[in-house]
């Protein structure tokens, strides 16, 4: 799995992409997530988080340092099985 953040997408709304890979890698994201609003920089920080909830699948966290255009940091914990 490869994670990629694109914090400047669409007036800094931001995006995060997940590429699952496989026998051959391509340049098309398998999962794309978009931030909530302009200038919140969703995708500035992306990381695999291990299996935080114990379901047997690797979880992902995505950071957005300017959520809701006030000086606060928000971390999104993504725990959905993306292969279904």
């Amino acid at each position: 799995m490869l994670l990629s953040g694109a914090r400047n997408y669409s007036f800094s709304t931001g995006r995060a992409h997940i590429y699952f890979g496989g026998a051959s890698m391509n340049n098309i994201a398998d999962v794309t997530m978009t931030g909530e609003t302009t200038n919140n920089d969703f995708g500035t920080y992306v990381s695999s988080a291990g299996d935080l909830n114990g379901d047997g699948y690797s979880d992902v966290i995505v950071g957005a340092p300017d959520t809701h255009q006030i000086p606060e940091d928000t971390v999104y914990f993504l725990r959905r099985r993306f292969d279904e």
Side-chain angles (χ1 to χ4, degrees):
M1 176 173 62
L2 174 73
L3 304 174
S4 171
R7 68 180 223 166
N8 291 322
Y9 169 79
S10 187
F11 302 100
S12 295
T13 298
R15 274 191 167 170
H17 307 280
I18 300 175
Y19 302 84
F20 293 126
S24 63
M25 190 73 161
N26 61 33
N27 63 353
I28 300 170
D30 295 296
V31 177
T32 299
M33 299 159 283
T34 304
E36 295 180 57
T37 186
T38 59
N39 297 315
N40 77 346
D41 296 327
F42 182 81
T44 297
Y45 312 105
V46 294
S47 180
S48 174
D51 184 11
L52 294 176
N53 59 354
D55 66 356
Y57 295 91
S58 183
D59 300 313
V60 173
I61 54 175
V62 178
D66 295 318
T67 304
H68 306 296
Q69 298 183 15
I70 58 175
E72 66 180 29
D73 293 341
T74 300
V75 175
Y76 295 86
F77 165 60
L78 308 167
R79 59 187 177 108
R80 180 178 156 218
R81 283 183 56 184
F82 293 113
D83 62 342
E84 292 186 330

